[in-house]
Amino acid sequence: QVVMHACDGDDIAAVCTAVPMTPPAFGQPVYYYRSFVGKKWRTTMLIEKLLKRAQVVLENYARERDFPCIGILLELENARFKERGRMPVWPHTGFVYVGKSGRGLESRVAFFKGAQLKDAK
């Protein structure tokens, strides 16, 4: 499911997707977020702008549906994140470090305001 895309003229500069899932190690339903930014735009602030906008879109979507997911989960695949953004909480987005994924990737979550933890099934 495509959440949104960013264009630069006729070129698609970036896309992001979000899929609802409940990762076993996390045990709560979240939107698993992925993004791809074209090489030409990777040194710009586009990735952060896209993520911030996706947060608003996904939180509004979840709120309107009584929070089927409680937040957004990221797995950081890009090695650039190992050099930058080393704070436990990213100040501009509110994403919090929550450990390593099953693939050994740094994982971060941003929770939606008003969401509640779901009972285990």
Side-chain angles (χ1 to χ4, degrees), residues 75-93:
E75 284 184 314
L76 304 179
E77 295 182 35
N78 189 323
R80 193 170 133 201
F81 287 109
K82 291 181 181 175
E83 302 162 13
R84 302 179 56 176
R86 302 308 311 149
M87 301 77 67
V89 179
W90 287 346
H92 300 294
T93 61

Side-chain angles (χ1 to χ4, degrees), residues 54-67:
Q55 280 182 273
V56 170
V57 168
L58 289 168
E59 185 166 348
N60 289 341
Y61 180 86
R63 181 173 287 108
E64 291 167 3
R65 289 158 181 79
D66 198 28
F67 295 104

Side-chain angles (χ1 to χ4, degrees), residues 1-57:
Q1 161 179 5
V2 173
V3 173
M4 68 182 79
H5 66 277
C7 293
D8 183 0
D10 291 334
D11 296 328
I12 295 178
V15 296
C16 65
T17 61
V19 177
M21 67 182 306
T22 303
F26 197 65
Q28 291 291 312
V30 290
Y31 294 112
Y32 180 73
Y33 177 91
R34 296 196 68 179
S35 62
F36 174 81
V37 177
K39 187 174 183 177
K40 181 177 171 182
W41 299 274
R42 289 183 186 158
T43 58
T44 69
M45 296 299 294
L46 182 57
I47 188 94
E48 185 177 329
K49 289 179 180 182
L50 195 62
L51 179 57
K52 285 181 178 181
R53 182 68 188 131
Q55 280 182 273
V56 170
V57 168

